Structure formats: structure tokens, C-alpha cells
Amino acid sequence: MKVEFAPRSVPLQRRLQTAAVVQWIFSFLGLAQCCTAAFIALFFTRFWLVSALYAAWWLIDRETPSKGGRRIHILRNCIIWRYMRDYFPITLMKTAELDPRQNYLVGFHPHGVLAAGAFLNFCTEASGFSTLFPGITPHLMMLSLWFRIPFFRDYVMSGGLIPSDKESASYVLQKPDGGNLLAIIVGGAQEALDARPGSFTLLLKNRKGFVRLAIQHGTPLVPAFSFGENDLFDQVKNPKGSWLRRIQHWLQQIMGISLPLFHARGIFQYSFGLIPYRRPICTVVGKPIPVQKKDRPSEEEVDQVHQKYLNELSELFEKHKAKYSVPEDCHLEFI
């Protein structure tokens, strides 16, 4: 006997999609603080042993984030990520095959305000990463400070996130059997300060560390551009030299994270709030750029590969921009 379920109504689907996005935003804007507060508070209750045991486990497990992390496939495949995907929606597109016998270093652009495309495409299976790139295990780099937060570190590792330091990157790229993809949001938190609709400015002109890393490991570089990433939020005007921009840079130097003042829509209304707009995101993954391995590349060699990467990224953008309603006269700007 075949049991058929009535399809969910459109309003219910939209509510579920919105709930999934709210959960995701909370997980990065509030969950870390809640985890810290809970860890400390438990010490002053009869459940103090929970925090004590976790502290011991934390000490034993402290090297795991820099050793490739500890992904949990059940969480990567959780249905909530599919609702989040459909909210925008978010899609992943490949333009070339990736050989699972090799490792790859992907440069992801732009950062956007909260890097929604990077998270969903590389840290979940909602957009079908494993189907598009069979035999490839994705890793996404994230600021190291998030891995110092109790409980929260385990949550972010479950999706394949690892700390953004050289040790963690090298561990993934030097695996001899291949089949690993390391995604780096090259512009980082600083680029988020320029994330606003219609912006195609990338903080990349002097960012060459990822290129040097690829050369040292002989890892092919793969450019990826996420169309629509900057369209999810509006941001308070903060031109360079303004008092707001100076404060944001100062806070970034102290805390390591940027604090863009963003806004979009609310949960029950569309005029103001912290929920992103329903605007499509498509992350286009380009073709690999072969890199000659060299332990100590010269500045000239790094510059050559870096320039080739900029050219390939620009070509990728120009080739696909018309599909995503980007005006013909808009081009990437590297700063």
C-alpha cells in the first residue's frame, strides 16, 4: 500500500524557509554567546559536571579543528538546510570537472555580509555538492576565534569548517590521496564592510597568501564567484575615511571580526529587520588553474600566479554575469 502525503501549502513552506534562515542567522550571531554563557553558568548549578567533563574533552580534543575538523554527515544533510536553500534560493554550478585524485584550493568571492552562499554550498549538502563533485570532500575556512568557544566549536566543525590559519590549511592540502577541497573566502571579514547590492568590489589586489599556499603544496587554484551574495542586505553607508569606517576597522583590529551595520526585512514584515531579502544566489565554480609546486616561491612567481588567478576570476565573472542580471557595464574591481 502506497501512502501519499498532501504537499505542504506555499504559506507553510515559506514559514519553514524563513524559520531555517532565522536559525542560521542566530547560529552565528547569538549561538556563540549562548554557548559561552551556558558553559560558565553550568558551573554554578548542580549540573556543573557537564561543563567540567566538556572542559576535559575540550583539552583532549583541542587539535581536532586544525586536523581537518570532525564533520557529522547527519547534520550536513539536515532538512533545515534545504529550507534555507529554497528561501533565497541558492544554487551551486560547476564549469569543469575536479579530479578526486587531487586536492584543490578554491577562492570564494565575494564575502557578502554573512557568507550565505559559502556556508550552504560547502558546509551542507543542500545544493548537492557531493553529486556535482563526487569523491571531493569540502572544507571551508573560518576565523580561528570561533573554535575557542565551547560547544559552538563542535557545531561549526560538523559542517566541515576549519580555522583560518596556515596549519589547518596545510593539513588539508597535503593529504596524499587527494579528494579534498579547501575553500577560502579571500576577502575575509574586511570585505564584508563593502557588501551591498550592486557592489562588485573585491579585496583581492594584495591578498596573495592563498596563492603562496597553493604553490607550496602544488595545489590547483579554483576561482568561484557567488552571484547575488552582496544583494541580501542593505548596509549603512560607511565610505572609506568616514568615522563609521574608522570605528569598524578599529573594532576589527581588536576582535578580529568586522561589524557591518546591515539591515533588510523582518520576519513578519518587509520594511526593516535582520532577515535577508529573498534574492537568488548562484555560486559558479570555475576551472582549475594548474600550479607548479615550489617550497619557497619568489615574489615574482607568486605575482605571476596571482595575476593569472585575477584574470581567470574576471573571465568567469564576465562569462556568466548576463545570466544573473548583472549590467553589461559592470566589471569586477580589485582593491
Side-chain angles (χ1 to χ4, degrees):
M1 178 179 177
K2 184 179 179 180
V3 179
E4 294 185 359
F5 297 91
R8 291 190 176 94
S9 64
V10 173
L12 177 57
Q13 286 182 335
R14 282 183 170 267
R15 286 197 291 270
L16 290 171
Q17 292 165 7
T18 303
V21 173
V22 170
Q23 176 276 146
W24 167 68
I25 291 176
F26 169 75
S27 69
F28 285 96
L29 297 184
L31 184 58
Q33 292 86 342
C34 291
C35 287
T36 303
F39 178 75
I40 296 172
L42 284 172
F43 276 113
F44 300 94
T45 71
R46 59 179 177 173
F47 302 106
W48 63 270
L49 188 59
V50 174
S51 288
L53 290 175
Y54 184 85
W57 161 251
W58 191 2
L59 182 63
I60 297 170
D61 194 55
R62 64 185 182 278
E63 298 296 330
T64 298
S66 60
K67 302 298 182 184
R70 181 175 51 248
R71 65 187 60 230
I72 301 175
H73 293 287
I74 293 178
L75 294 181
R76 281 181 58 88
N77 287 279
C78 184
I79 191 172
I80 195 170
W81 306 128
R82 295 198 289 276
Y83 284 124
M84 176 181 167
R85 172 199 66 195
D86 295 338
Y87 173 90
F88 297 99
I90 296 177
T91 55
L92 180 64
M93 174 184 172
K94 74 173 180 180
T95 61
E97 297 293 337
L98 299 185
D99 186 350
R101 294 171 296 181
Q102 281 191 304
N103 296 319
Y104 297 90
L105 196 160
V106 172
F108 182 92
H109 315 272
H111 183 286
V113 172
L114 295 177
F119 173 80
L120 192 127
N121 287 320
F122 297 119
C123 299
T124 81
E125 286 296 330
S127 57
F129 181 92
S130 295
T131 302
L132 282 173
F133 302 104
I136 303 292
T137 301
H139 303 265
L140 177 65
M141 302 200 84
M142 185 182 190
L143 285 174
S144 301
L145 68 89
W146 298 113
F147 295 88
R148 302 169 191 159
I149 300 174
F151 304 121
F152 187 75
R153 67 189 287 275
D154 299 281
Y155 167 70
V156 295
M157 278 196 295
S158 69
L161 285 156
I162 62 173
S164 56
D165 55 54
K166 188 175 181 180
E167 179 186 0
S168 302
S170 295
Y171 182 87
V172 172
L173 297 179
Q174 68 189 7
K175 288 187 175 181
D177 296 331
N180 291 279
L181 180 150
L182 178 66
I184 301 177
I185 307 177
V186 182
Q190 188 175 344
E191 191 175 78
L193 299 177
D194 290 312
R196 48 178 48 86
S199 173
F200 299 102
T201 301
L202 302 181
L203 188 60
L204 185 57
K205 191 174 183 180
N206 295 313
R207 297 272 173 125
K208 302 177 183 179
F210 74 106
V211 174
R212 184 179 299 276
L213 188 66
I215 296 175
Q216 290 173 340
H217 292 280
T219 306
L221 281 165
V222 182
F225 191 87
S226 196
F227 290 92
E229 193 74 47
N230 282 342
D231 297 337
L232 306 186
F233 298 94
D234 291 314
Q235 191 172 164
V236 175
K237 291 184 178 180
N238 58 343
K240 293 181 180 178
S242 65
W243 65 269
L244 177 56
R245 191 62 167 246
R246 289 197 294 269
I247 291 175
Q248 288 173 323
H249 276 304
W250 177 67
L251 291 174
Q252 182 185 348
Q253 292 174 351
I254 295 175
M255 300 184 297
I257 59 175
S258 64
L259 296 172
L261 297 181
F262 61 91
H263 58 90
R265 50 159 289 192
I267 298 177
F268 304 109
Q269 43 75 33
Y270 295 88
S271 57
F272 188 82
L274 297 180
I275 308 302
Y277 297 119
R278 285 180 178 267
R279 292 174 180 170
I281 298 174
C282 183
T283 301
V284 182
V285 180
K287 62 182 180 181
I289 302 171
V291 174
Q292 186 73 31
K293 183 177 181 180
K294 190 170 185 179
D295 292 334
R296 295 182 178 180
S298 65
E299 291 297 328
E300 290 75 17
E301 290 169 326
V302 172
D303 289 342
Q304 288 177 1
V305 177
H306 183 260
Q307 186 58 53
K308 187 174 183 180
Y309 179 87
L310 295 183
N311 295 339
E312 290 289 341
L313 178 60
S314 295
E315 183 179 334
L316 181 73
F317 176 81
E318 295 295 332
K319 183 177 180 180
H320 295 277
K321 68 180 184 181
K323 302 176 187 176
Y324 306 107
S325 303
V326 177
E328 183 62 31
D329 59 348
C330 287
H331 309 284
L332 292 182
E333 178 186 0
F334 303 121
I335 59 173

